[in-house]
Amino acid sequence: MTILVIAEHDNASVKGATLNTVTAALACGGDVHILIAGANAAAAAAAAAQIAGVSKVLHADAPGFEHGLAENVAAQVLAVASGYSHLVFPATASGKNIAPRVAAKLDVAQISDVTKVLSADTFERPIYAGNAIATVQSLDATKVLTVRTTGFDPAAATGGSATVEVLAAAADAGKSTFVGSEIAKNDRPELTAAKIIVSGGRALGSAEKFNEVMIPLADKLGAALGASRAAVDAGYAPNDWQVGQTGKIVAPQLYIAAGISGAIQHLAGMKDSKVIVAINKDGEAPIFSVADYGLEADLFVAVPELVAAL
Amino acid sequence: MKVLVAVKRVVDYNVKVRVKSDNTGVDIANVKMSMNPFDEIAVEEAVRLKEKGVVTEIIAVSCGVTQCQETLRTAMAIGADRAILVETSEELQPLAVAKLLKALVDKEQPGLVILGKQAIDDDCNQTGQMLAALADLPQATFASKIEVVDGKASVTREVDGGLETIAVSLPAVVTTDLRLNEPRYVTLPNIMKAKKKQLDVFKPEDLGVDVSPRIKTLKVSEPPKRSAGIKVPDVATLVAKLKTEAKVI
């Protein structure tokens, strides 16, 4: 049994989500290989070869892979898929984009957001915004999975010594082209990898207040900034800060929710955090039902006080 | 250009579901059902494209039990021109739905297919991508902006870290993200008009599709409960607790 992990990378290095995915792949049992499909991505392939537990790196290089277009990357995965029992993707925007395309071409079902590997064909995954956990068994010969990265520890990024095999690149499908991107500038820890997250909600009232109140706290704790959907929709915070069912799923050591009521869609994104702190002036807010420490107070007073006390 | 919009009937997003005591699934008897929120956004986008003159006809499609007709009527009240129900009482998984939609794409030849990015019940986020693969069409997932120009769609996508824009040749499959638009409310006169619109019913067999499940659900259980927390009176106590008790800062 050999398992292929489809790496998420930026052509120069391997992204953190790949390391958690390798751990999940190792839990399935068997040899683990990694595919790097990129443009001038030799550095990423070399980095992948260092990951502990990986025995082989497949490296396919072509301009069409530069931005990870689904049609092109899926074609490359399909070109090597026949040798593998499992094709494992991180459940990131990129993994979710490509994995179902691969599964459908192979005429197999795909299992999304795996949080636990019970055996080579049986997995746990959350459904209904995390309000239920389904144990599912794949009846297909090839298992195509996406892995919820917060469900698995990252594999060590060094210590491995995999061989790198260069593949012939699959042809460009020619159906889609990359036009441009607007990546939010962020010098803080990445939201999904941060140990501490401070998250703000609608109660902050404006983008200015959001920055004025939340940034000092994040700076003090070396934390990543998150937001509820209400805060994002109101324009207080950028889209990619959104924590929840339809945003990022996070599980930091400490999650501080300020002015967030705690709708089920938000809780789905953060309730696996180790310690949750809620600051809200509404004592009845649902967030208090999951918070380890709740402070019923006006966040405009409490958060600056907290910054001062740290 | 014709647009096909796929809509799913799901447990209303405000309902807190309960796991059945025999762990066979969640209890959805007597629970309020609605159109999946991402699908509402998909229908709205199709209607806006029609209002801009880009689209000539909107076909809403749903797969599932007879009651999905209500969901299709809602789509027609928002502005879809006609509807197709693929009726079955079988449990439909994304691959099966994608195959049913592929058969309808072959039949109707739409220029664009719009789906929600995920359904809020199974949280799969697969059907659009699978349909694109089966129909051999380009895909633009998690769309927050769609512009159709010269036989191409320019789609801004929500990705980790920000936004990216891609151009796909038409026909194409697009899946909607939350920020694409704000769906309109349906008005009573439009609900009445929707009752008169055409709704065709097929069976999976009519479309030659095998919908048998490929994934077996062995068990559905409650997520582990968090132990009850405490309320602290002031910031000083909070900091002390975080430092000495939780040891996270």
Side-chain angles (χ1 to χ4, degrees):
Chain A
M1 205 167 71
T2 319
I3 298 161
L4 184 66
V5 169
I6 291 76
E8 184 157 347
H9 63 87
D10 59 6
N11 295 311
S13 61
V14 174
K15 291 202 181 169
T18 306
L19 302 175
N20 308 75
T21 312
V22 167
T23 303
L26 288 164
C28 296
D31 256 6
V32 173
H33 296 179
I34 285 197
L35 172 68
I36 301 273
N40 300 316
Q50 301 288 313
I51 300 172
V54 173
S55 61
K56 195 199 249 184
V57 176
L58 305 179
H59 176 201
D61 220 287
F65 298 140
E66 186 175 359
H67 301 287
L69 290 170
E71 295 78 9
N72 296 344
V73 178
Q76 186 64 54
V77 177
L78 290 164
V80 295
S82 63
Y84 294 95
S85 60
H86 295 63
L87 303 171
V88 190
F89 298 73
T92 55
S94 163
K96 289 174 181 178
N97 191 29
I98 301 163
R101 199 168 172 105
V102 170
K105 290 273 191 198
L106 294 171
D107 192 26
V108 302
Q110 186 225 303
I111 301 179
S112 297
D113 272 315
V114 169
T115 48
K116 202 185 241 179
V117 176
L118 299 177
S119 74
D121 67 356
T122 309
F123 311 93
E124 278 187 11
R125 64 177 300 263
I127 53 175
Y128 287 92
N131 285 305
I133 307 292
T135 305
V136 295
Q137 184 178 26
S138 166
L139 307 176
D140 288 310
T142 308
K143 278 76 174 153
V144 180
L145 315 173
T146 64
V147 168
R148 180 168 288 191
T149 52
T150 58
F152 299 88
D153 293 331
T158 55
S161 55
T163 52
V164 178
E165 181 183 321
V166 176
L167 301 177
D172 194 314
K175 293 193 167 179
S176 56
T177 46
F178 176 83
V179 177
S181 66
E182 266 176 68
I183 299 300
K185 257 182 84 85
N186 204 344
D187 42 19
R188 298 177 188 287
E190 200 195 337
L191 194 53
T192 50
K195 290 212 157 42
I196 302 179
I197 295 173
V198 298
S199 210
R202 198 205 308 264
L204 282 147
S206 69
E208 293 71 38
K209 284 282 175 198
F210 194 103
N211 292 337
E212 186 185 316
V213 174
M214 301 305 290
I215 287 179
L217 182 59
D219 285 345
K220 197 90 185 197
L221 291 166
L225 276 164
S228 69
R229 184 186 163 198
V232 171
D233 281 355
Y236 306 166
N239 291 346
D240 58 306
W241 289 8
Q242 186 187 318
V243 172
Q245 184 186 18
T246 56
K248 299 263 167 56
I249 312 287
V250 299
Q253 294 286 306
L254 174 61
Y255 187 91
I256 302 181
I260 293 177
S261 65
I264 49 177
Q265 293 83 0
H266 185 75
L267 300 184
M270 46 63 85
K271 66 185 168 58
D272 293 327
S273 306
K274 183 160 173 275
V275 175
I276 297 173
V277 171
I279 302 173
N280 204 304
K281 65 180 173 189
D282 174 9
E284 302 298 313
I287 190 79
F288 286 117
S289 68
V290 299
D292 298 279
Y293 302 107
L295 177 62
E296 197 178 321
D298 183 351
L299 72 93
F300 293 108
V301 178
V303 174
E305 260 187 61
L306 182 56
V307 174
L310 288 168
Chain B
M1 180 171 85
K2 251 196 234 181
V3 173
L4 200 72
V5 185
V7 295
K8 184 175 185 182
R9 177 179 180 263
V10 298
V11 171
D12 188 86
Y13 72 98
N14 284 311
V15 173
K16 186 158 186 343
V17 295
R18 284 182 192 286
V19 172
K20 287 188 199 166
S21 53
D22 62 358
N23 291 121
T24 53
V26 296
D27 192 0
I28 57 165
N30 307 316
V31 163
K32 187 185 177 208
M33 306 292 281
S34 313
M35 188 188 295
N36 180 42
F38 292 100
D39 303 349
E40 273 186 74
I41 294 170
V43 178
E44 174 68 33
E45 195 63 21
V47 175
R48 289 187 190 190
L49 288 170
K50 192 178 173 194
E51 287 166 350
K52 276 190 213 157
V54 177
V55 161
T56 49
E57 188 186 27
I58 302 166
I59 309 158
V61 180
S62 192
C63 305
V65 293
T66 317
Q67 291 89 325
C68 295
Q69 291 199 12
E70 294 160 22
T71 315
L72 290 169
R73 293 288 171 202
T74 307
M76 291 191 283
I78 299 172
D81 296 291
R82 61 185 170 97
I84 299 172
L85 171 64
V86 183
E87 192 181 319
T88 171
S89 51
E90 276 253 21
E91 180 206 344
L92 290 176
Q93 293 176 348
L95 184 63
V97 176
K99 286 180 180 178
L100 293 170
L101 294 175
K102 153 78 164 68
L104 292 173
V105 165
D106 289 346
K107 204 171 144 78
E108 298 283 353
Q109 298 287 324
L112 192 62
V113 187
I114 313 180
L115 302 87
K117 83 162 175 185
Q118 79 189 58
I120 60 165
D121 51 1
D122 61 20
D123 285 334
C124 274
N125 193 334
Q126 300 174 4
T127 309
Q129 295 89 316
M130 287 184 157
L131 169 62
L134 296 173
D136 214 9
L137 297 177
Q139 68 186 49
T141 51
F142 325 144
S144 59
K145 194 172 164 202
I146 304 173
E147 278 175 46
V148 178
V149 226
D150 305 334
K152 279 193 172 187
S154 163
V155 179
T156 302
R157 307 178 53 232
E158 295 198 4
V159 295
D160 297 331
L163 301 171
E164 92 174 17
T165 305
I166 60 171
V168 290
S169 55
L170 296 179
V173 176
V174 176
T175 73
T176 62
D177 213 322
L178 281 170
R179 274 159 287 269
L180 181 59
N181 61 48
E182 188 119 349
R184 69 195 67 187
Y185 287 104
V186 293
T187 60
L188 188 60
N190 284 341
I191 293 173
M192 301 310 287
K193 272 187 227 157
K195 289 187 178 166
K196 298 205 182 73
K197 290 183 180 175
Q198 181 189 347
L199 194 162
D200 298 316
V201 180
F202 295 100
K203 299 275 179 200
E205 306 85 83
D206 303 335
L207 300 170
V209 175
D210 169 19
V211 295
S212 51
R214 302 289 193 80
I215 295 174
K216 199 163 132 193
T217 300
L218 303 178
K219 187 173 82 172
V220 175
S221 49
E222 293 262 359
K225 286 256 183 300
R226 289 188 76 92
S227 52
I230 54 162
K231 281 210 181 165
V232 293
D234 51 40
V235 167
T237 320
L238 176 61
V239 173
K241 293 268 186 201
L242 289 177
K243 280 189 172 151
T244 56
E245 203 174 272
K247 296 191 176 75
V248 283
I249 53 172

